[in-house]
Amino acid sequence: MSDATRTASPEPSVRPSSRSAALLEENARHLAHPNVAAFLKAIAEAEGGGYDFKYGALKGRSNDRWRFRDTSTHPGPGIDGKTTAAGMYQITRPTWEHHGGKLGLKDFSPRTQDLIAVEILRSLGVIDAIKDGRLGEVMPKVARIWAALPKGPGQSNHYPPQRYVKFEDFLTAYLAGGGQTA
């Protein structure tokens, strides 16, 4: 998609509202927690994302037409022309518009992607459980958002037949990212 055909970013005010600013500050604190950071790394590993990936991009392929450079806005559809999942956490355009607008974010930079992923976790009510390392409790909720995640140990995902990682593999990525369990 050319830059000329891209739609504008969400329309939050130029200065975030005090509520948006408070949410951004809160999410930045959550993002700094080692278990939250490790959880996000494990999501990215499961989803196969990179900060510059549209749906369909492949890790290890440097000249991939499903990668993007312009982070001023959400990059739009990927390989199938329909799915707008993009970035490290495969955030869809409607999710970016909703959460980005709520947080006063206007771009699709790596920092914005991280903060939106934290906002999704916060809005699901799972941040404290993640900080405490209670992953089994968290997985059923987050697996509804990220299709590549299992519902828990020994369980599949919510969206068969879509590919998903086994809980053990998710846990391995989480622990490798510095996370700790309860």
Side-chain angles (χ1 to χ4, degrees), residues 36-121:
V36 173
F39 198 85
L40 292 179
K41 287 176 186 172
I43 291 171
E45 183 69 27
E47 289 287 333
Y51 287 112
D52 62 342
F53 280 32
K54 285 186 181 185
Y55 177 73
L58 298 173
K59 284 188 177 184
R61 186 183 289 175
S62 59
N63 217 5
D64 192 329
R65 70 182 191 147
W66 302 113
R67 288 186 175 218
F68 60 93
R69 287 190 180 101
D70 180 3
T71 61
S72 66
T73 188
H74 190 285
I79 194 169
D80 67 357
K82 299 174 194 167
T83 304
T84 60
M88 185 64 82
Y89 314 103
Q90 294 294 283
I91 297 167
T92 63
R93 184 175 197 95
T95 298
W96 171 71
E97 289 171 347
H98 172 73
H99 290 295
K102 180 168 50 171
L103 296 171
L105 301 169
K106 297 174 74 169
D107 63 19
F108 201 65
S109 67
R111 180 75 172 166
T112 291
Q113 293 175 44
D114 290 344
L115 289 168
I116 288 175
V118 170
E119 178 60 19
I120 292 167
L121 296 173

Side-chain angles (χ1 to χ4, degrees), residues 138-159:
V138 168
M139 298 309 293
K141 290 182 181 178
V142 297
R144 289 196 176 278
I145 304 300
W146 286 285
L149 300 185
K151 293 182 276 187
Q155 298 181 49
S156 66
N157 64 346
H158 281 286
Y159 305 100

Side-chain angles (χ1 to χ4, degrees), residues 166-181:
K166 293 180 180 176
F167 178 79
E168 295 75 21
D169 295 332
F170 182 86
L171 180 60
T172 297
Y174 170 78
L175 294 172
Q180 297 185 354
T181 60

